[in-house]
Short mmCIF file of all heavy atoms in Angstrom, two decimals:
data_model
loop_
_atom_site.label_atom_id
_atom_site.label_comp_id
_atom_site.label_asym_id
_atom_site.label_seq_id
_atom_site.Cartn_x
_atom_site.Cartn_y
_atom_site.Cartn_z
N VAL Y 131 87.23 117.47 102.16
CA VAL Y 131 86.23 117.00 101.20
C VAL Y 131 85.49 118.21 100.64
O VAL Y 131 84.88 118.97 101.39
CB VAL Y 131 85.21 116.04 101.86
CG1 VAL Y 131 84.18 115.58 100.84
CG2 VAL Y 131 85.92 114.85 102.47
N THR Y 132 85.58 118.40 99.35
CA THR Y 132 84.86 119.50 98.71
C THR Y 132 83.98 118.93 97.61
O THR Y 132 83.90 117.72 97.42
CB THR Y 132 85.83 120.56 98.17
OG1 THR Y 132 85.11 121.71 97.72
CG2 THR Y 132 86.67 120.02 97.01
N SER Y 133 83.30 119.81 96.88
CA SER Y 133 82.42 119.33 95.81
C SER Y 133 82.15 120.43 94.81
O SER Y 133 82.40 121.61 95.07
CB SER Y 133 81.08 118.84 96.39
OG SER Y 133 80.23 119.94 96.66
N VAL Y 134 81.61 120.02 93.68
CA VAL Y 134 81.01 120.98 92.75
C VAL Y 134 79.67 121.42 93.32
O VAL Y 134 79.14 120.80 94.24
CB VAL Y 134 80.81 120.33 91.37
CG1 VAL Y 134 82.14 120.04 90.71
CG2 VAL Y 134 79.98 119.04 91.50
N ASP Y 135 79.09 122.48 92.79
CA ASP Y 135 77.71 122.85 93.12
C ASP Y 135 76.77 121.86 92.44
O ASP Y 135 76.95 121.54 91.26
CB ASP Y 135 77.39 124.27 92.65
CG ASP Y 135 77.80 125.32 93.66
OD1 ASP Y 135 77.08 125.49 94.65
OD2 ASP Y 135 78.85 125.95 93.44
N ARG Y 136 75.78 121.39 93.17
CA ARG Y 136 74.80 120.47 92.60
C ARG Y 136 73.39 121.03 92.84
O ARG Y 136 72.59 120.50 93.61
CB ARG Y 136 74.95 119.08 93.24
CG ARG Y 136 76.22 118.34 92.84
CD ARG Y 136 76.32 118.07 91.34
NE ARG Y 136 75.20 117.31 90.82
CZ ARG Y 136 75.24 116.01 90.54
NH1 ARG Y 136 76.39 115.33 90.69
NH2 ARG Y 136 74.18 115.38 90.08
N ASP Y 137 73.08 122.12 92.12
CA ASP Y 137 71.76 122.73 92.22
C ASP Y 137 70.66 121.84 91.66
O ASP Y 137 69.47 122.07 91.91
CB ASP Y 137 71.74 124.07 91.46
CG ASP Y 137 72.68 125.10 92.08
OD1 ASP Y 137 72.63 125.25 93.31
OD2 ASP Y 137 73.46 125.72 91.34
N ASP Y 138 71.06 120.79 90.91
CA ASP Y 138 70.08 119.87 90.34
C ASP Y 138 69.51 118.90 91.37
O ASP Y 138 68.49 118.26 91.12
CB ASP Y 138 70.73 119.07 89.20
CG ASP Y 138 71.95 118.29 89.67
OD1 ASP Y 138 72.81 118.89 90.33
OD2 ASP Y 138 72.04 117.08 89.38
N LEU Y 139 70.14 118.78 92.54
CA LEU Y 139 69.70 117.85 93.58
C LEU Y 139 68.81 118.56 94.59
O LEU Y 139 69.04 119.73 94.91
CB LEU Y 139 70.91 117.25 94.30
CG LEU Y 139 71.91 116.49 93.41
CD1 LEU Y 139 73.11 116.05 94.23
CD2 LEU Y 139 71.24 115.29 92.74
N ASP Y 140 67.82 117.85 95.11
CA ASP Y 140 66.87 118.45 96.04
C ASP Y 140 67.54 119.03 97.27
O ASP Y 140 67.10 120.04 97.82
CB ASP Y 140 65.82 117.42 96.47
CG ASP Y 140 64.87 117.04 95.33
OD1 ASP Y 140 64.80 117.82 94.36
OD2 ASP Y 140 64.23 115.98 95.42
N ASP Y 141 68.61 118.37 97.75
CA ASP Y 141 69.31 118.85 98.94
C ASP Y 141 70.67 119.43 98.62
O ASP Y 141 71.47 119.68 99.52
CB ASP Y 141 69.44 117.73 99.98
CG ASP Y 141 70.37 116.61 99.50
OD1 ASP Y 141 70.77 116.62 98.31
OD2 ASP Y 141 70.69 115.73 100.33
N GLY Y 142 70.96 119.65 97.33
CA GLY Y 142 72.25 120.20 96.94
C GLY Y 142 73.43 119.27 97.19
O GLY Y 142 74.58 119.68 97.07
N GLY Y 143 73.12 118.02 97.53
CA GLY Y 143 74.19 117.06 97.81
C GLY Y 143 74.52 116.94 99.28
O GLY Y 143 75.50 116.27 99.65
N ALA Y 144 73.71 117.51 100.17
CA ALA Y 144 73.99 117.50 101.60
C ALA Y 144 74.06 116.08 102.16
O ALA Y 144 74.97 115.74 102.93
CB ALA Y 144 72.93 118.31 102.35
N ALA Y 145 73.10 115.23 101.79
CA ALA Y 145 73.10 113.86 102.30
C ALA Y 145 74.33 113.09 101.82
O ALA Y 145 74.87 112.24 102.55
CB ALA Y 145 71.82 113.14 101.87
N HIS Y 146 74.78 113.39 100.61
CA HIS Y 146 75.98 112.73 100.09
C HIS Y 146 77.20 113.15 100.90
O HIS Y 146 78.06 112.31 101.22
CB HIS Y 146 76.15 113.07 98.61
CG HIS Y 146 77.02 112.11 97.87
ND1 HIS Y 146 76.62 110.85 97.50
CD2 HIS Y 146 78.30 112.23 97.42
CE1 HIS Y 146 77.59 110.24 96.84
NE2 HIS Y 146 78.63 111.07 96.79
N PHE Y 147 77.30 114.43 101.24
CA PHE Y 147 78.38 114.90 102.11
C PHE Y 147 78.35 114.12 103.43
O PHE Y 147 79.39 113.66 103.91
CB PHE Y 147 78.22 116.39 102.42
CG PHE Y 147 79.08 117.29 101.59
CD1 PHE Y 147 78.54 118.04 100.56
CD2 PHE Y 147 80.44 117.42 101.84
CE1 PHE Y 147 79.33 118.90 99.80
CE2 PHE Y 147 81.24 118.26 101.09
CZ PHE Y 147 80.68 119.01 100.06
N ALA Y 148 77.17 113.99 104.02
CA ALA Y 148 77.04 113.30 105.31
C ALA Y 148 77.48 111.84 105.19
O ALA Y 148 78.15 111.30 106.09
CB ALA Y 148 75.61 113.39 105.81
N LYS Y 149 77.13 111.18 104.08
CA LYS Y 149 77.54 109.79 103.88
C LYS Y 149 79.06 109.67 103.74
O LYS Y 149 79.66 108.70 104.23
CB LYS Y 149 76.85 109.22 102.64
CG LYS Y 149 75.35 109.00 102.81
CD LYS Y 149 74.71 108.56 101.51
CE LYS Y 149 73.19 108.42 101.66
NZ LYS Y 149 72.54 108.06 100.37
N VAL Y 150 79.66 110.64 103.08
CA VAL Y 150 81.12 110.62 102.92
C VAL Y 150 81.80 110.78 104.28
O VAL Y 150 82.76 110.06 104.60
CB VAL Y 150 81.58 111.72 101.94
CG1 VAL Y 150 83.09 111.89 101.99
CG2 VAL Y 150 81.13 111.39 100.52
N VAL Y 151 81.32 111.72 105.10
CA VAL Y 151 81.89 111.91 106.43
C VAL Y 151 81.77 110.62 107.25
O VAL Y 151 82.72 110.18 107.90
CB VAL Y 151 81.20 113.08 107.16
CG1 VAL Y 151 81.66 113.17 108.62
CG2 VAL Y 151 81.49 114.41 106.45
N ALA Y 152 80.60 110.00 107.21
CA ALA Y 152 80.38 108.77 107.96
C ALA Y 152 81.30 107.65 107.47
O ALA Y 152 81.83 106.87 108.27
CB ALA Y 152 78.92 108.34 107.84
N ALA Y 153 81.49 107.56 106.16
CA ALA Y 153 82.34 106.51 105.60
C ALA Y 153 83.80 106.70 106.01
O ALA Y 153 84.51 105.73 106.29
CB ALA Y 153 82.22 106.49 104.08
N ILE Y 154 84.26 107.94 106.03
CA ILE Y 154 85.64 108.22 106.46
C ILE Y 154 85.81 107.84 107.93
O ILE Y 154 86.79 107.22 108.32
CB ILE Y 154 85.99 109.69 106.22
CG1 ILE Y 154 86.04 110.00 104.72
CG2 ILE Y 154 87.34 110.03 106.87
CD1 ILE Y 154 86.16 111.47 104.40
N ARG Y 155 84.82 108.23 108.75
CA ARG Y 155 84.90 107.92 110.18
C ARG Y 155 84.92 106.40 110.41
O ARG Y 155 85.63 105.91 111.29
CB ARG Y 155 83.69 108.53 110.90
CG ARG Y 155 83.78 110.05 111.02
CD ARG Y 155 84.26 110.46 112.41
NE ARG Y 155 84.81 111.81 112.38
CZ ARG Y 155 84.06 112.92 112.33
NH1 ARG Y 155 82.74 112.82 112.32
NH2 ARG Y 155 84.64 114.10 112.33
N ALA Y 156 84.15 105.67 109.63
CA ALA Y 156 84.11 104.22 109.79
C ALA Y 156 85.42 103.56 109.38
O ALA Y 156 85.90 102.63 110.02
CB ALA Y 156 82.95 103.64 108.98
N ALA Y 157 86.01 104.04 108.29
CA ALA Y 157 87.22 103.41 107.76
C ALA Y 157 88.49 103.91 108.42
O ALA Y 157 89.48 103.17 108.50
CB ALA Y 157 87.31 103.67 106.24
N SER Y 158 88.48 105.16 108.89
CA SER Y 158 89.69 105.76 109.47
C SER Y 158 89.30 106.66 110.64
O SER Y 158 89.29 107.89 110.51
CB SER Y 158 90.44 106.55 108.39
OG SER Y 158 91.66 107.07 108.88
N PRO Y 159 88.98 106.08 111.79
CA PRO Y 159 88.42 106.84 112.91
C PRO Y 159 89.29 107.98 113.42
O PRO Y 159 88.77 108.97 113.95
CB PRO Y 159 88.22 105.77 114.00
CG PRO Y 159 88.17 104.48 113.28
CD PRO Y 159 89.06 104.63 112.09
N ALA Y 160 90.61 107.86 113.27
CA ALA Y 160 91.50 108.89 113.80
C ALA Y 160 91.65 110.10 112.87
O ALA Y 160 92.20 111.13 113.26
CB ALA Y 160 92.88 108.29 114.07
N THR Y 161 91.18 109.99 111.64
CA THR Y 161 91.31 111.08 110.67
C THR Y 161 90.36 112.22 111.01
O THR Y 161 89.17 112.00 111.25
CB THR Y 161 91.01 110.58 109.25
OG1 THR Y 161 91.93 109.53 108.92
CG2 THR Y 161 91.15 111.69 108.23
N THR Y 162 90.87 113.45 111.03
CA THR Y 162 90.01 114.61 111.20
C THR Y 162 89.51 115.05 109.83
O THR Y 162 90.21 114.91 108.83
CB THR Y 162 90.75 115.76 111.90
OG1 THR Y 162 92.00 116.01 111.24
CG2 THR Y 162 91.02 115.41 113.36
N ILE Y 163 88.30 115.61 109.81
CA ILE Y 163 87.59 115.84 108.54
C ILE Y 163 87.21 117.31 108.39
O ILE Y 163 86.58 117.89 109.28
CB ILE Y 163 86.33 114.97 108.44
CG1 ILE Y 163 86.69 113.49 108.61
CG2 ILE Y 163 85.61 115.20 107.12
CD1 ILE Y 163 85.48 112.59 108.77
N GLU Y 164 87.58 117.87 107.27
CA GLU Y 164 87.21 119.24 106.92
C GLU Y 164 86.37 119.19 105.66
O GLU Y 164 86.76 118.54 104.68
CB GLU Y 164 88.47 120.08 106.69
CG GLU Y 164 88.22 121.50 106.23
CD GLU Y 164 89.51 122.31 106.15
OE1 GLU Y 164 90.46 122.01 106.92
OE2 GLU Y 164 89.57 123.23 105.31
N ILE Y 165 85.23 119.85 105.67
CA ILE Y 165 84.40 119.88 104.46
C ILE Y 165 84.32 121.32 103.94
O ILE Y 165 84.19 122.27 104.71
CB ILE Y 165 82.99 119.31 104.71
CG1 ILE Y 165 82.26 120.06 105.82
CG2 ILE Y 165 83.06 117.83 105.03
CD1 ILE Y 165 80.79 119.69 105.93
N LEU Y 166 84.42 121.45 102.64
CA LEU Y 166 84.30 122.74 101.95
C LEU Y 166 83.08 122.63 101.06
O LEU Y 166 83.12 121.99 100.00
CB LEU Y 166 85.56 123.02 101.14
CG LEU Y 166 85.54 124.21 100.18
CD1 LEU Y 166 85.14 125.49 100.88
CD2 LEU Y 166 86.90 124.36 99.50
N THR Y 167 81.98 123.23 101.49
CA THR Y 167 80.69 122.98 100.83
C THR Y 167 80.27 124.11 99.90
O THR Y 167 80.73 125.24 100.02
CB THR Y 167 79.57 122.79 101.88
OG1 THR Y 167 79.21 124.08 102.41
CG2 THR Y 167 80.00 121.87 102.99
N PRO Y 168 79.33 123.80 98.98
CA PRO Y 168 78.63 124.85 98.25
C PRO Y 168 77.71 125.61 99.21
O PRO Y 168 77.65 125.30 100.41
CB PRO Y 168 77.84 124.09 97.19
CG PRO Y 168 78.08 122.66 97.40
CD PRO Y 168 78.89 122.47 98.63
N ASP Y 169 76.94 126.55 98.68
CA ASP Y 169 76.10 127.38 99.56
C ASP Y 169 74.74 126.78 99.85
O ASP Y 169 74.00 127.31 100.68
CB ASP Y 169 75.94 128.80 98.98
CG ASP Y 169 75.30 128.82 97.60
OD1 ASP Y 169 74.74 127.78 97.17
OD2 ASP Y 169 75.36 129.88 96.94
#
Side-chain angles (χ1 to χ4, degrees):
V131 179
T132 188
S133 79
V134 292
D135 275 283
R136 290 299 302 258
D137 295 313
D138 58 310
L139 302 175
D140 290 341
D141 67 351
H146 200 75
F147 261 105
K149 290 175 183 177
V150 168
V151 172
I154 293 170
R155 287 261 159 76
S158 184
T161 301
T162 51
I163 304 170
E164 176 175 331
I165 58 170
L166 171 54
T167 76
D169 59 14

